[in-house]
Amino acid sequence: ECRAFELLRSSYDRGNFLLSKHAKIIAMTCTHAAIKRRDLIALSFQYDNLVMEESAQIMEIETFIPMVLQNPDAATGRS
């Protein structure tokens, strides 16, 4: 029996698999979310809840960056 994780050769691919399929909590800055947005969308990254703690270090408009890390749901049209 062969599992999907065992087929992935590089640590980068294994990390992406764990991030998109098994991660329960992910922490990142808004800046990192903006830099990695395209990669996370390509992985079909999905989340249910979002907690932001930026201690007034960013402007209000920048809080939308983590909110657009996933593609909209086809059924509801919501992210």
Side-chain angles (χ1 to χ4, degrees):
E1 178 180 325
C2 187
R3 298 179 183 171
F5 188 76
E6 295 166 351
L7 294 175
L8 301 172
R9 295 179 186 261
S10 72
S11 60
Y12 180 78
D13 291 336
R14 288 180 179 182
N16 285 340
F17 176 79
L18 292 174
L19 173 70
S20 62
K21 303 297 182 196
H22 296 288
K24 300 291 183 196
I25 298 173
I26 299 170
M28 68 179 81
T29 64
C30 288
T31 303
H32 186 74
I35 292 170
K36 290 295 188 178
R37 181 178 186 271
R38 183 171 293 151
D39 296 337
L40 293 170
I41 288 175
L43 291 171
S44 299
F45 179 73
Q46 297 289 315
Y47 60 85
D48 294 324
N49 299 306
L50 178 66
V51 177
M52 273 191 255
E53 198 290 301
E54 289 289 334
S55 301
Q57 297 174 10
I58 61 172
M59 298 183 341
E60 290 83 9
I61 193 69
E62 292 173 317
T63 61
F64 284 106
I65 294 169
M67 294 181 199
V68 294
L69 286 179
Q70 61 187 7
N71 285 327
D73 184 9
T76 62
R78 295 180 181 176
S79 289

